[in-house]
Amino acid sequence: MSAAGCISSLERPALLDRLEQEVFDVVVIGGGITGAGVAREAALRGLRVALLEAHDFAAGTSSRSSKLIHGGLRYLAMGDVALVRKAALERKQVFRLAPHLAERRWMVFPARSYFGLVKMRAGITTYEKLGEVAAEDRHRNWNREALEQEEPLLNRKRYKYACAYREYLTDDARLVLANLRDAARHGALAINYAAVDRILVEAGRACGVEAECRESGRRLRVRAHCIINAAGPWVEAVQRLEEPAARPFLHLSKGIHFAFPAKRAPLRNMLALNTDDGRIVFVIPRGSVVYVGTTDTTYTRGSQLWPEVTREDVEYLLAPLHRDLNVAPLRPEEITSAWAGLRPLIAEPGKRPSDLSRRDEILIGPAKVVTIAGGKLTGYRPMAKAALDKVAQLFELELGPPHREEPPLPGGDFAGEIPGLSRSLSRDYGLPPACSERLARSYGSEAGEVLKGGQAPLVEGGCILRGEVTWAVEVEGALTLEDLLYRRVRTALFDPDFREALVEPAADEMAKLLSWAAARRQQEVEQVRARLRSDLSFLSETG
Ligand code: FAD
């Protein structure tokens, strides 16, 4: 399969060899959005880059977000105008670089009184000015009749008005993959399942890392002039590899989401609902499900890869749905998927997690390892640029000139909009509209290439096609069944109808591609099933 910027799992042994043989300008630790953004920026600026990810790419927080490219309107209320402006402007950039991964949608903020609407409108107008939103995309105000027309499921006894403004919905894990592939297209080497467990120091300066390939057990030694720690919730653990007594500076905050079948509440728009404790919960229709999130609670059990979703979390999110939607109350048993992630926030003693700023911070360790933490998915490009500027200054590295106009991410170079792309896929390949739209959204201009790998669905009536498995393995570095179902095709989160049926045929396809023996194939199937069960384990807690 050919594509620009392949990260092929079939070429893993050769990649491991290159990582050991070459000397890099920069080694990035962590393959979430922060690390992917830094690797891409460094590669675009002409540096030789290697990125090592302990699990799968985007396996941490960057696949568990609300998936909004947004300015965070609520941070305006906290007075963080600079952060909101930066993020609001970024929306346009992400849309320009990867229009398939930034879907423009209306976010509806309902209001109970005219005064409430006026207050909200003032905030949204400022937000739009900060984000330089084009006239046709500015907010709409809805009175009771309009509300009834546009979002009939909202509880009209409670809400008389609403303001609808534009937000951008992304696919967080695929955005990470697109950035990593772009980095690879510009010469970077990126590998998953390679956990860094040692920082090499010579004459007081970090000069490389040691890591273990989790697939083969092979030890790796990667040499570089500069090390960037972008390990998200794990940055402190990586810092301790350099300085065992490093002072903690993170505040981990857990956020959960759950999804339920869209037919239970067929909403037309995304909603922003208030909670009783003054927070905002998003309700986001996406394909055959609606997902809801998020919570924001201090997490004290350390940096877990799979933080637990509890019944209490779920009930907290169900409360505004029960209060604000005109549908029969949703029961926890109707939830089809749930996921939790940890925000690596910069600690500010005395503040509750939802009041902590989402700012990012760069720290320099004693052996000059550069740590970058905090921030949001939305602001990954400015974060990457700031990290690179710091590195260039600190290590006197010569960077290539910044791109006046950054090239689009893989899949982002198409003219027109997704509906047009989707229609042409339907026409050219005879695909049902739901399938071609999903392909256009996931792969953008590369959808045709993906289809060349096989356009038969893996499961009769399902949308996931054989070619997507090949693409995931040969282009996007998928190494396990979980990588495929959770972070490439995302069936685990968003396709409850076909999720179970897909496990075996998807395992068969991966087994063929990756030459798995029967035992390995079976182990993959069991691990994914255990993971899927564990996502919904809150159901067995007593309510
Ligand atoms: P991560 O994605 O966690 O990446 C760090 C990576 O480092 C991990 O993959 C990990 O495996 C790897 N790693 C750790 N240790 C090692 C090691 N020793 N060697 C190699 N690799 C290592 N932001 C938005 O803009 N919009 C939103 O809608 C939004 N919603 C959110 C909702 C929730 C519930 C949460 C929790 C966050 C949300 N955010 C949102 C914030 C955003 O998701 C995070 O800021 C961002 O994903 C953090 O990315 P990261 O790369 O820093 O961390």
Side-chain angles (χ1 to χ4, degrees):
M1 195 148 251
S2 82
C6 278
I7 301 176
S8 172
S9 292
L10 304 184
E11 283 159 29
R12 196 174 167 89
L15 183 55
L16 289 169
D17 289 344
R18 281 189 64 191
L19 283 164
E20 286 222 292
Q21 285 155 5
E22 296 177 20
V23 179
F24 298 90
D25 293 313
V26 178
V27 162
V28 181
I29 304 172
I33 194 65
T34 307
V38 168
R40 173 176 181 264
E41 179 67 18
L44 283 174
R45 304 287 295 274
L47 299 183
R48 284 161 303 158
V49 186
L51 179 142
L52 283 80
E53 162 56 49
H55 302 278
D56 184 23
F57 303 123
T61 311
S62 299
S63 55
R64 325 284 176 87
S65 78
S66 301
K67 308 173 199 328
L68 290 167
I69 300 293
H70 65 161
L73 200 49
R74 73 186 188 84
Y75 308 122
L76 205 55
M78 289 159 64
D80 213 336
V81 176
L83 178 87
V84 176
R85 178 174 163 75
K86 189 161 83 173
L89 285 172
E90 269 310 291
R91 305 183 315 164
K92 276 208 236 174
Q93 291 305 323
V94 179
F95 184 69
R96 192 181 61 72
L97 295 176
H100 57 307
L101 295 174
E103 183 183 3
R104 264 181 322 177
R105 299 268 296 267
W106 291 113
M107 175 72 80
V108 177
F109 239 123
R112 299 180 71 180
S113 65
Y114 189 67
F115 177 68
L117 177 74
V118 170
K119 218 170 110 192
M120 189 183 294
R121 226 165 49 190
I124 290 175
T125 306
T126 311
Y127 179 59
E128 289 173 342
K129 282 205 179 114
L130 291 173
E132 298 172 9
V133 172
E136 69 273 17
D137 272 340
R138 295 210 188 116
H139 68 272
R140 319 265 148 102
N141 300 308
W142 293 341
N143 59 16
R144 196 194 282 255
E145 289 74 44
L147 194 55
E148 187 158 347
Q149 188 77 26
E150 303 286 347
E151 200 49 272
L153 289 187
L154 260 178
N155 180 352
R156 288 187 305 285
K157 283 201 193 112
R158 187 173 166 86
Y159 295 115
K160 297 188 175 61
Y161 307 94
C163 196
Y165 66 101
R166 283 288 195 202
E167 285 289 34
Y168 289 69
L169 188 61
T170 190
D171 180 323
D172 47 9
R174 298 203 61 79
L175 186 64
V176 172
L177 291 167
N179 276 280
L180 283 170
R181 285 190 48 217
D182 206 32
R185 174 157 71 180
H186 290 89
L189 304 187
I191 191 154
N192 49 2
Y193 295 98
V196 170
D197 51 21
R198 203 171 153 218
I199 306 277
L200 303 171
V201 178
E202 252 174 41
R205 290 278 284 260
C207 60
V209 298
E210 273 188 18
E212 183 163 300
C213 166
R214 292 190 166 188
E215 175 75 359
S216 61
R218 174 172 165 183
R219 294 289 305 168
L220 265 188
R221 207 166 226 263
V222 185
R223 286 163 302 152
H225 301 303
C226 154
I227 317 293
I228 301 185
N229 168 12
W234 296 268
V235 285
E236 289 174 340
V238 171
Q239 270 189 328
R240 286 195 294 273
L241 298 177
E242 179 196 13
E243 186 190 13
R247 206 167 50 85
F249 67 101
L250 281 190
H251 183 129
L252 295 182
S253 153
K254 185 180 80 168
I256 77 123
H257 291 82
F258 63 71
F260 60 87
K263 53 182 183 280
R264 275 293 271 111
L267 293 161
R268 297 181 182 171
N269 305 284
M270 308 194 292
L271 303 180
L273 304 178
N274 280 305
T275 58
D276 290 337
D277 59 345
R279 295 188 52 257
I280 291 170
V281 162
F282 298 120
V283 185
I284 302 177
R286 180 180 203 131
S288 65
V289 299
V290 173
Y291 69 90
V292 184
T294 173
T295 54
D296 201 345
T297 50
T298 295
Y299 195 71
T300 53
R301 299 179 66 184
S303 316
Q304 305 287 332
L305 187 60
W306 294 99
E308 62 290 344
V309 174
T310 66
R311 194 150 184 129
E312 191 187 348
D313 296 326
V314 167
E315 276 163 9
Y316 172 85
L317 295 180
L318 282 173
L321 297 187
H322 291 167
R323 188 194 60 201
D324 290 347
L325 297 185
N326 276 328
V327 296
L330 194 76
R331 289 171 296 112
E333 292 68 27
E334 294 177 86
I335 289 172
T336 50
S337 61
W339 63 93
L342 297 177
R343 299 175 185 84
L345 304 176
I346 310 297
E348 295 175 59
K351 285 193 174 176
R352 61 175 191 159
S354 54
D355 293 334
L356 288 176
S357 164
R358 269 46 178 169
R359 71 190 162 86
D360 51 85
E361 197 157 300
I362 298 176
L363 302 159
I364 315 294
K368 298 234 175 337
V369 171
V370 177
T371 293
I372 175 146
K376 305 249 319 153
L377 190 79
T378 305
Y380 79 93
R381 286 173 59 264
M383 262 174 98
K385 285 183 202 308
L388 250 273
D389 287 345
K390 190 78 195 175
V391 162
Q393 180 201 6
L394 206 64
F395 295 88
E396 295 172 4
L397 287 178
E398 215 170 290
L399 297 181
H403 283 257
R404 205 171 291 151
E405 180 111 309
E406 279 175 41
L409 296 176
D413 54 339
F414 58 94
E417 302 244 356
I418 286 292
L421 187 59
S422 163
R423 271 195 303 277
S424 60
L425 286 172
S426 275
R427 191 190 53 229
D428 297 348
Y429 296 93
L431 297 170
C435 192
S436 55
E437 193 185 327
R438 197 187 59 76
L439 286 173
R441 273 267 155 246
S442 301
Y443 306 101
S445 60
E446 296 184 315
E449 273 304 308
V450 175
L451 283 160
K452 282 189 193 157
Q455 63 185 91
L458 277 184
V459 174
E460 180 79 30
C463 260
I464 307 298
L465 311 180
R466 193 150 273 131
E468 293 186 77
V469 186
T470 316
W471 187 263
V473 170
E474 294 187 11
V475 179
E476 296 178 339
L479 206 58
T480 72
L481 191 56
E482 182 198 296
D483 300 347
L484 176 76
L485 299 181
Y486 275 79
R487 290 170 295 273
R488 303 300 185 284
V489 296
R490 313 222 74 179
T491 313
L493 276 56
F494 298 127
D495 198 359
D497 295 342
F498 288 95
R499 182 170 50 208
E500 183 48 43
L502 206 63
V503 170
E504 296 277 351
D508 288 340
E509 282 301 304
M510 285 196 80
K512 265 188 259 162
L513 290 161
L514 290 159
S515 311
W516 288 342
R520 167 76 189 265
R521 180 202 167 281
Q522 193 51 29
Q523 187 192 359
E524 292 285 330
V525 166
E526 280 163 19
Q527 275 173 2
V528 146
R529 290 212 166 111
R531 179 74 262 135
L532 290 166
R533 274 195 307 278
S534 167
D535 291 346
L536 297 178
S537 61
F538 64 87
L539 287 172
S540 54
E541 286 176 43
T542 42

